[in-house]
Amino acid sequence: MTALITAVELFKAHWRWWLSILALVVIAWLWKENTRIEASLTTLQGENNSNRAVMDNMLRTVAITNIVLESNQHAKQQIALESQRAANDIKAAVASDDCAARPVPAVAANRLRQYADSLRSGTTASNSSQPDR
């Protein structure tokens, strides 16, 4: 019991010294925590920047893909429209001609089929995932 009384008296006599030691311990602990949190923050900021770069690249890729798809769709529509116009022009040109009623010669029909097949194979070579319709 006397040891406890002596410790209390010692603390009372030197409370400023003990308070200074306690303050230094708290400051050291806070400094260490601050350093650890700053390191975590730096790591997270680096990961965030990396993820942002990946996301930006992905969005840019999607935008480019959309532009290409729109261009291809527009080109297909223009080709279909031009083909329809050509068919209508040919029908109008041969409507009153007597040769329109006669069968097409086999040589000419074969040549037209070869030409059509070459057009189809040219488009499937550039996009083989979708069949021609």
Side-chain angles (χ1 to χ4, degrees):
M1 187 71 167
T2 58
L4 182 62
I5 292 172
T6 307
V8 170
E9 288 175 4
L10 185 63
F11 182 73
K12 284 182 182 179
H14 302 289
W15 67 273
R16 288 186 181 120
W17 186 75
W18 289 109
L19 187 61
S20 298
I21 290 174
L22 179 64
L24 287 174
V25 168
V26 169
I27 289 172
W29 178 76
L30 289 173
W31 187 277
K32 181 181 173 187
E33 282 297 305
N34 185 43
T35 304
R36 184 184 63 80
I37 290 171
E38 282 181 350
S40 294
L41 179 64
T42 303
T43 302
L44 290 174
Q45 285 174 339
E47 289 174 3
N48 186 27
N49 291 340
S50 174
N51 290 339
R52 180 175 289 136
V54 168
M55 199 62 171
D56 288 345
N57 285 339
M58 186 181 304
L59 290 173
R60 192 175 299 116
T61 302
V62 168
I64 291 170
T65 302
N66 286 341
I67 291 169
V68 169
L69 290 174
E70 287 176 13
S71 297
N72 285 345
Q73 185 65 29
H74 181 69
K76 285 180 182 180
Q77 290 171 348
Q78 291 295 352
I79 290 170
L81 184 62
E82 187 60 34
S83 175
Q84 187 65 32
R85 285 182 193 152
N88 289 339
D89 291 345
I90 291 170
K91 284 179 187 176
V94 297
S96 61
D97 196 344
D98 65 340
C99 73
R102 287 186 258 147
V104 176
V107 174
N110 287 337
R111 179 65 182 105
L112 287 173
R113 282 189 202 98
Q114 287 175 350
Y115 179 69
D117 290 341
S118 71
L119 291 178
R120 285 190 196 102
S121 67
T123 56
T124 57
S126 63
N127 187 3
S128 61
S129 64
Q130 296 181 350
D132 289 333
R133 293 182 187 162

